[in-house]
């Protein structure tokens, strides 16, 4: 009896293994019986990331890594980004009554808004690997990120209109020199302020940190006409601005999650142990 039971279990294990190995998105059908191709699936995944429907993902699905890589290096990505920037220009020309008092302002994120991290992620499986912040910061410190030229065009347009340009990034303060050199070397210059995370900011979520900076700017008398960023955490939260514009980026997602991280940090809670309810990748930036 025991031998028969063992034989049956072995067969069951083999069957389950073969069934799992045979599963493929190409064999999957939608609710209406439509055959879903891999391209359909990955395009739908990317679109729902942009719509903020898919959140809290740590990596791009393995079956979509090639698709996302092709998208981020494609003409379509450039066209999608340029269309977002064109809408900024339309807004500036038709729906934005600048006061021209030296307090008109516009906020830009940096990574994948002004500077591209695609060269870094090209070497790291286009989002298919979990984020290694040490590796990413080492790459940022080299100051070799290329400009996103559609955003550079808007940057220069705003300068020409007399708008004060505020750069608000979650890069850490120790990257200031490398960040400035990188920005200047690829054509960005003449901004009003550059905000990076200081020690006191590292305990805050990205959305909270950026919202607090906006509050400071508004309290200082600035009228913030718009924000351009590639993450929802860069444009959500109060106080809001007149308009927000999101650039496409399915490579990573900044999110909050109830993960209890024990952190000992003298800047956060009087040199005592405390709990932070947020994801490490979001504490940094991406």
């Amino acid at each position: 009896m025991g031998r028969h039971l063992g034989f049956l279990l072995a067969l069951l294990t083999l069957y389950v293994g073969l069934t799992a190995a045979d599963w493929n998105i190409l064999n999957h059908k939608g609710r209406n019986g439509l055959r879903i191709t891999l391209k359909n699936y990955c395009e739908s995944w990317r679109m729902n990331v942009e719509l903020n429907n898919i959140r809290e993902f740590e990596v791009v699905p393995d079956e979509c890594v090639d698709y996302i890589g092709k998208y981020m290096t494609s003409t379509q990505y450039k066209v999608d980004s340029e269309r977002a920037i064109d809408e900024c220009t339309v807004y500036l020309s038709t729906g934005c009554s600048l006061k021209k008092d030296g307090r008109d302002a516009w906020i830009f994120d940096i990574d994948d808004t002004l500077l591209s991290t695609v060269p870094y992620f090209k070497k790291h499986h286009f989002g298919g690997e979990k984020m290694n912040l040490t590796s990413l910061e080492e790459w940022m410190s080299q100051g070799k990120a290329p400009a996103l030229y559609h955003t550079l065009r808007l940057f220069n347009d705003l300068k020409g209109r007399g708008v004060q340009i505020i750069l608000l990034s979650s890069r850490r303060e120790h990257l200031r020199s490398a960040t400035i050199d990188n920005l200047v070397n690829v054509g960005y210059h003449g901004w009003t302020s550059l905000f990076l995370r200081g020690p006191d900011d590292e305990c805050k979520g990205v959305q909270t940190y950026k919202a607090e900076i906006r509050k400071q700017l508004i309290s200082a008398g600035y009228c913030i006409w718009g924000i351009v960023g590639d993450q929802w955490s860069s444009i959500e939260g109060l106080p809001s601005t007149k308009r927000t514009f999101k650039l496409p980026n399915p490579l990573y997602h900044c999110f909050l999650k109830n993960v209890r991280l024990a952190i000992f940090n003298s800047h956060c809670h009087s040199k005592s142990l405390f709990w932070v309810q947020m994801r490490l990748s979001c504490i940094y930036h991406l």
Side-chain angles (χ1 to χ4, degrees):
M1 179 67 181
R3 293 176 60 186
H4 284 72
L5 181 59
F7 179 70
L8 288 172
L9 288 173
L11 283 177
L12 179 61
T13 301
L14 178 61
Y15 173 76
V16 171
L18 289 173
T19 302
D22 188 56
W23 186 91
N24 191 306
I25 187 63
L26 298 178
N27 298 326
H28 188 66
K29 289 185 178 181
R31 290 182 180 274
N32 296 321
L34 296 174
R35 180 70 64 182
I36 298 177
T37 68
L38 183 59
K39 182 179 179 181
N40 294 150
Y41 172 77
C42 294
E43 174 62 16
S44 177
W45 183 87
R46 183 189 71 81
M47 181 60 66
N48 278 278
V49 168
E50 300 298 354
L51 293 172
N52 210 25
N53 294 329
I54 294 177
R55 310 179 186 185
E56 301 189 5
F57 66 89
E58 294 184 343
V59 295
V60 172
D62 187 62
E63 61 268 30
C64 294
V65 167
D66 287 343
Y67 173 83
I68 295 300
K70 289 177 181 177
Y71 171 74
M72 292 301 295
T73 56
S74 70
T75 298
Q76 188 62 56
Y77 168 68
K78 294 177 182 177
V79 170
D80 291 344
S81 299
E82 288 181 0
R83 180 56 186 267
I85 297 304
D86 286 345
E87 291 303 314
C88 294
T89 303
V90 170
Y91 164 62
L92 280 167
S93 300
T94 62
C96 186
S97 302
L98 299 177
K99 298 179 180 180
K100 300 185 183 298
D101 59 355
R103 289 297 180 178
D104 295 313
W106 193 284
I107 295 176
F108 287 95
D109 188 13
I110 292 181
D111 291 304
D112 295 300
T113 299
L114 298 181
L115 301 174
S116 175
T117 65
V118 169
Y120 172 83
F121 283 99
K122 185 176 181 180
K123 297 179 180 179
H124 294 273
H125 212 211
F126 282 111
E129 297 178 7
K130 288 188 178 181
M131 184 70 67
N132 184 324
L133 299 183
T134 300
S135 172
L136 179 60
E137 284 196 331
E138 288 176 354
W139 181 81
M140 289 176 173
S141 68
Q142 298 172 14
K144 296 181 179 179
L148 291 169
Y149 289 105
H150 42 274
T151 319
L152 177 58
R153 172 169 53 84
L154 175 63
F155 183 99
N156 288 328
D157 184 8
L158 287 162
K159 279 200 311 180
R161 296 172 187 260
V163 176
Q164 307 301 307
I165 296 175
I166 311 296
L167 308 187
L168 176 53
S169 172
S170 292
R171 288 189 177 202
R172 294 196 290 173
E173 184 62 39
H174 72 88
L175 289 168
R176 178 173 292 272
S177 179
T179 300
I180 291 174
D181 289 344
N182 196 161
L183 288 166
V184 171
N185 289 340
V186 297
Y188 296 102
H189 54 85
W191 61 80
T192 301
S193 299
L194 168 61
F195 291 93
L196 302 179
R197 273 181 184 257
D200 292 341
D201 300 314
E202 292 184 15
C203 308
K204 304 170 184 175
V206 172
Q207 183 174 311
T208 298
Y209 157 68
K210 294 192 173 184
E212 288 180 359
I213 297 297
R214 292 199 298 272
K215 184 176 181 180
Q216 292 175 23
L217 291 168
I218 292 171
S219 296
Y222 285 103
C223 178
I224 305 173
W225 291 98
I227 301 175
V228 178
D230 67 294
Q231 297 290 309
W232 286 94
S233 56
S234 295
I235 61 181
E236 290 186 323
L238 298 174
S240 59
T241 61
K242 303 291 185 180
R243 282 289 304 272
T244 59
F245 299 86
K246 186 187 178 300
L247 294 172
N249 184 2
L251 289 172
Y252 51 81
H253 185 264
C254 174
F255 58 89
L256 298 180
K257 189 175 181 180
N258 289 329
V259 176
R260 303 186 81 187
L261 299 176
I263 300 177
F264 185 83
N265 189 314
S266 61
H267 298 284
C268 299
H269 198 271
S270 302
K271 299 184 180 180
S272 61
L273 188 67
F274 73 106
W275 296 104
V276 178
Q277 302 283 337
M278 61 185 68
R279 189 84 186 166
L280 182 58
S281 60
C282 193
I283 291 175
Y284 175 70
H285 165 250
L286 307 172

